[in-house]
Amino acid sequence: MGQILFDSEDPSISIARCTKYFLRSESDKERKGQMNNTAFVEGMVYFNKSWLLYYVTGEANIGVAVSYDSL
């Protein structure tokens, strides 16, 4: 999964894009499914001083990546 920044006035304009993925599949369970080698970010929530990033892999599995706030 990567990131892209769009212009707030004209969202058809791409301002910047990550050159490296910030999240990758690590296991066969994450890479295989109804649609192999596919992942979709579904949502991100800040909860109890942590960022929770929910994603779907292979169109069959749901995962959550956690980033703890250092504050």
Side-chain angles (χ1 to χ4, degrees):
M1 292 170 219
Q3 295 173 318
I4 187 168
L5 178 64
F6 292 101
D7 185 296
S8 63
E9 299 294 320
D10 183 355
S12 68
I13 297 173
S14 168
I15 296 172
R17 182 185 295 255
C18 287
T19 57
K20 294 182 180 180
Y21 296 120
F22 70 89
L23 186 64
R24 290 183 286 187
S25 300
E26 295 181 352
S27 68
D28 283 342
K29 183 178 180 181
E30 291 179 319
R31 286 191 285 272
K32 296 180 180 179
Q34 295 173 358
M35 201 170 177
N36 293 334
N37 299 313
T38 305
F40 300 97
V41 174
E42 299 296 332
M44 190 162 72
V45 178
Y46 189 71
F47 181 71
N48 284 342
K49 298 184 180 180
S50 300
W51 285 102
L52 307 174
L53 179 83
Y54 294 90
Y55 61 96
V56 175
T57 60
E59 298 260 340
N61 299 300
I62 298 171
V64 61
V66 180
S67 176
Y68 299 99
D69 194 342
S70 60
L71 299 176

